[in-house]
Amino acid sequence: MKSFSYNRSVLSLVFTFLGGAALLFIIAPIAGMYLNITPESLRESAYSQEVRDSIWLSLWTSMAGTFLFSFLAVPLAYLLARKNFALKGIVNGIIDIPIIIPHSAAGIAVLGIITRDSLLGSAGELFGIKFIGSPAGIILAMAFVSIPFLINAARDGFAAVPERLEKVALTLGASPARVFFTVSLPLAWRSILSGFILMWARGMSEFGAVIIVAYNPKTAPILIYERFTSYGLKYSLPAAVVFVTVCLLIFIVLRLIKRKS
Amino acid sequence: MLKIENISLKVGDFELKNISFNVDAGDYFVILGVSGVGKSVLLESIAGLIDISEGNIFLRGRQITEEKIQNRNISIVYQDTDLFPHLNVFDNIAYPLRSRKEKEIKDKVLKAASETGISDKLDRNISTLSGGEYQRVSLARSLAAGNDIFLLDEPLSSLDPKSKIELRALLRKLNRAGITIVHVTHDYEEAVSLANKIGIMENGTIVHVAPPEQIFQHPKSEFVAKFVGVKNFLRGNVNSIPDSDLKEFLVDGIKIYVLTDSGDGDSFLLINPEEISLSITSEGGSARNHFKGKITDIARAKMGFEVTVDIGKVELIALLSSESVNSLNLEIGNDIWTNFKASACKIYN
């Protein structure tokens, strides 16, 4: 018994060490950014109109994409959680494709459906919506690479709602639509909110797909990249730190809200 | 009220075959069967939660086999997992109520809550309810839905003994007030204490439907006899005895002393075979009941022997060890005394 607990304590010591190294690997580069920057350059960057515009563009396009596509993602997630159909496994796999393909390739794929010759592109033109080089295109590119996060989280959330509660609601005279809005959705809400945050955060930080669809107007990741390639690390770092700070603040606030709810 | 006609279905490994029975308005119908026999599946198919492959279901004379769940007007109450966890007690009960007038909803909720004894719990969170309270809220919600037929799936099995007794009383009260109840359970005591009709379920079908006394006194199959595990099950009348804490139970001219707090009147009596001892002469001691009879059967039981003694119109079964059977030289046809305490007699009425 003694040797067992001795082994266990050695094991947890080793795991603590390894786990700590992993954690350090995440923290160290970000902490390094903050340590390598002077307050003046940071202030200058934070007050720069170009930096502010790019961060605001990243925030609102990603939020808009998340919001718009949630009307499609949530119903799909519900179907995947509740219904059994042929090729369900393949559908689940398809959903993860945007995560596994290179994001520049994802950008090229999105570009394909929004050019003037494409159905969506020509339809957009009809209504005066331009996709390439515009916020609408950015929204699509961001949503393409980040929608799996919302679908997967919402699907897991719906799957965790006991089907029995939905059935009981039906026996109490509620219509399927009422059951969805008064039972399934409120009970899966936490997971959906999680997915919402993840999709937003992921879309906001997207670089590869967005740069192919719209180099301009510049989202924050593209602005950071442009400054890095044109002027070097010293000039790109402050913009990067400002953007990372905004992301972290939003992330912390949303996590707090989620914990409270 | 409810007519089940030859329904069959298959869900996963479960198969229900040719189930038929009738439930009249005001009935308390208990479906009794071991766990895993498909009782819950049967209930869910009646409520429309599971599709049946064959057969018909009629409710109040109307064919509802293909009817949508929300239009069937049948409530289902489960063991302990059917309240909406994100709503409080009031909102759970109010869930089936659709009215623009808030007062109308409030009145109906209050009425259902008072009928089920939870008027003081309306603001409570579901997670803070005890097992008994939980079931009451579930019943109140079914009442608020205005349905007059309830399907109960093992509603008492997760309750402590005290809540069980209280909830049984509530179920009886609801039944007397006009609610028709179909209740599935694996517990024969529950069946005896509540049902006016019992259906025995075995191998995915209902094998016997009858009033409790017939089910237990004349089990139609070996399964019923074994499953219910009930012997010495008698129907008779309980009467108080002046100046005594004992009561007498009269069955076919035989008077059995019982110690019970049940009321007088038509009742069932149950004596466990383990509680009956046999002796060559009338025993003294604390047992109040002594009957002389003739041994009509000696059968090997899972443990020991079951000795059947005819005490005149009534047969009692005693469970004895093989040592006792040998030392008393018991043989079929012998005269013997049966002895048991008044407190060994359980009364259900």
Side-chain angles (χ1 to χ4, degrees):
Chain A
M1 214 53 210
K2 201 172 176 188
S3 76
F4 176 68
S5 68
Y6 169 75
N7 282 336
R8 263 181 59 151
S9 71
V10 169
L11 185 74
S12 59
L13 207 68
V14 171
F15 277 18
T16 307
F17 177 75
L18 294 174
L23 206 59
L24 196 66
F25 177 64
I26 297 173
I27 296 170
I30 298 189
M33 283 172 84
Y34 284 90
L35 294 174
N36 282 326
I37 198 168
T38 60
E40 297 81 54
S41 63
L42 186 62
R43 198 176 315 120
E44 196 186 312
S45 229
Y47 283 108
S48 142
Q49 196 58 44
E50 199 187 14
V51 171
R52 283 184 173 198
D53 285 349
S54 72
I55 289 175
W56 175 238
L57 179 68
S58 297
L59 293 181
W60 83 256
T61 48
S62 184
M63 177 53 90
T66 306
F67 181 73
L68 290 174
F69 277 89
S70 65
F71 288 96
L72 309 178
V74 171
L76 174 62
Y78 185 71
L79 287 181
L80 288 171
R82 277 292 177 264
K83 306 285 179 208
N84 281 316
F85 49 85
L87 307 179
K88 187 172 168 182
I90 293 182
V91 172
N92 273 321
I94 289 172
I95 288 164
D96 287 335
I97 288 177
I99 298 178
I100 56 153
I101 61 173
H103 285 184
S104 48
I108 288 168
V110 173
L111 194 62
I113 62 160
I114 59 175
T115 54
R116 280 186 186 167
D117 325 327
S118 70
L119 195 68
L120 191 63
S122 54
E125 200 141 293
L126 223 63
F127 292 97
I129 301 171
K130 207 175 126 233
F131 288 105
I132 299 170
S134 80
I138 296 174
I139 287 172
L140 287 183
M142 285 176 166
F144 182 82
V145 297
S146 60
I147 198 168
F149 293 97
L150 177 55
I151 297 175
N152 289 335
R155 182 193 53 213
D156 296 347
F158 284 126
V161 175
E163 213 171 338
R164 175 171 285 179
L165 290 177
E166 294 174 350
K167 289 177 170 180
V168 164
L170 287 172
T171 67
L172 294 168
S175 65
R178 184 166 179 246
V179 172
F180 177 77
F181 286 110
T182 58
V183 178
S184 324
L185 199 57
L187 287 174
W189 182 240
R190 263 165 179 274
S191 301
I192 295 173
L193 189 65
S194 256
F196 206 88
I197 295 170
L198 275 174
M199 182 175 171
W200 185 32
R202 183 66 199 79
M204 195 157 69
S205 56
E206 178 55 23
F207 170 74
V210 173
I211 197 168
I212 287 181
V213 172
Y215 191 86
N216 278 304
K218 286 190 193 69
T219 59
I222 293 176
L223 183 78
I224 293 166
Y225 173 74
E226 191 199 49
R227 289 192 171 190
F228 177 69
T229 51
S230 311
Y231 310 104
L233 182 64
K234 203 179 157 207
Y235 195 58
S236 63
L237 187 62
V241 169
V242 174
F243 186 51
V244 167
T245 307
V246 171
C247 290
L248 285 178
L249 283 178
I250 291 170
F251 193 58
I252 290 166
V253 169
L254 287 175
R255 278 194 83 110
L256 287 177
I257 292 173
K258 192 175 156 249
R259 239 168 77 182
K260 240 185 165 178
S261 72
Chain B
M1 179 82 176
L2 177 71
K3 188 175 174 198
I4 305 298
E5 211 178 66
N6 280 317
I7 65 173
S8 300
L9 66 90
K10 202 166 178 212
V11 209
D13 294 340
F14 267 121
E15 202 177 356
L16 301 188
K17 290 166 289 187
N18 289 321
I19 292 185
S20 298
F21 59 86
N22 268 313
V23 181
D24 296 325
D27 265 355
Y28 201 119
F29 185 78
V30 172
I31 297 170
L32 189 58
V34 292
S35 302
V37 76
K39 304 185 298 284
S40 303
V41 174
L42 175 60
L43 277 198
E44 293 196 331
S45 67
I46 296 171
L49 308 181
I50 297 176
D51 290 334
I52 59 174
S53 52
E54 272 172 59
N56 294 298
I57 303 170
F58 296 92
L59 185 65
R60 303 176 193 92
R62 195 166 63 90
Q63 161 88 266
I64 59 159
T65 317
E66 305 280 327
E67 187 63 86
K68 285 181 182 160
I69 302 169
Q70 59 267 39
N71 298 335
R72 291 196 182 202
N73 299 327
I74 297 179
S75 283
I76 189 159
V77 171
Y78 291 94
Q79 201 178 101
D80 56 2
T81 52
D82 54 351
L83 294 180
F84 304 125
H86 58 303
L87 303 178
N88 69 8
V89 171
F90 184 98
D91 291 335
N92 261 283
I93 301 175
Y95 188 84
L97 300 170
R98 306 296 299 274
S99 166
R100 292 254 173 89
K101 293 176 195 143
E102 226 168 88
K103 167 123 187 3
E104 209 174 293
I105 289 179
K106 197 176 171 194
D107 288 348
K108 284 188 177 165
V109 171
L110 291 180
K111 185 164 175 271
S114 95
E115 277 171 41
T116 48
I118 43 159
S119 301
D120 55 335
K121 312 256 175 345
L122 291 172
D123 296 329
R124 290 267 290 275
N125 218 318
I126 295 306
S127 58
T128 66
L129 297 177
S130 72
E133 289 162 356
Y134 194 101
Q135 290 302 68
R136 282 166 192 271
V137 175
S138 198
L139 288 167
R141 189 176 61 180
S142 298
L143 281 177
N147 298 337
D148 56 358
I149 178 157
F150 290 6
L151 308 180
L152 314 181
D153 186 1
E154 305 261 2
L156 309 175
S157 55
S158 58
L159 302 182
D160 60 90
K162 184 170 167 277
S163 314
K164 225 176 229 184
I165 291 169
E166 289 169 359
L167 212 71
R168 275 186 200 166
L170 173 62
L171 290 173
R172 271 189 221 107
K173 190 181 103 181
L174 294 176
N175 181 232
R176 276 198 301 272
I179 306 286
T180 305
I181 294 178
V182 180
H183 173 146
V184 307
T185 180
H186 61 269
D187 179 351
Y188 74 85
E189 280 205 18
E190 222 166 283
V192 173
S193 70
L194 291 165
N196 71 323
K197 233 196 247 171
I198 293 178
I200 299 289
M201 197 161 177
E202 178 190 359
N203 295 330
T205 194
I206 300 260
V207 292
H208 190 185
V209 177
E213 67 270 26
Q214 280 183 33
I215 293 274
F216 296 123
Q217 282 172 347
H218 310 288
K220 263 195 181 168
S221 67
E222 195 191 0
F223 164 80
V224 174
K226 268 194 188 152
F227 164 63
V228 296
V230 173
K231 309 245 157 59
N232 305 321
F233 184 84
L234 306 169
R235 183 172 191 159
N237 247 294
V238 171
N239 297 310
S240 299
I241 305 172
D243 304 322
S244 167
D245 57 353
L246 291 177
K247 295 190 174 190
E248 55 185 24
F249 179 88
L250 296 171
V251 49
D252 288 331
I254 292 173
K255 191 198 288 177
I256 297 171
Y257 290 107
V258 297
L259 184 62
T260 175
D261 54 6
S262 308
D264 291 358
D266 192 19
S267 307
F268 297 113
L269 168 74
L270 192 66
I271 312 161
N272 268 333
E274 297 92 311
E275 307 273 7
I276 299 179
S277 68
L278 300 183
S279 56
I280 303 292
T281 54
S282 173
E283 259 181 5
S286 63
R288 289 269 55 87
N289 294 296
H290 309 279
F291 298 101
K292 193 175 182 188
K294 225 178 230 339
I295 298 176
T296 58
D297 193 23
I298 300 176
R300 186 175 281 284
K302 212 157 137 202
M303 286 187 318
F305 284 87
E306 282 179 357
V307 181
T308 308
V309 182
D310 181 358
I311 58 168
K313 287 195 181 173
V314 170
E315 283 191 332
L316 293 176
I317 295 173
L319 182 68
L320 271 67
S321 65
S322 51
E323 277 84 359
S324 302
V325 172
N326 290 335
S327 72
L328 290 171
N329 276 325
L330 298 183
E331 275 171 34
I332 295 175
N334 282 6
D335 284 342
I336 198 83
W337 282 86
T338 57
N339 316 285
F340 52 95
K341 297 184 344 186
S343 59
C345 301
K346 282 190 208 155
I347 296 288
Y348 302 95
N349 59 8

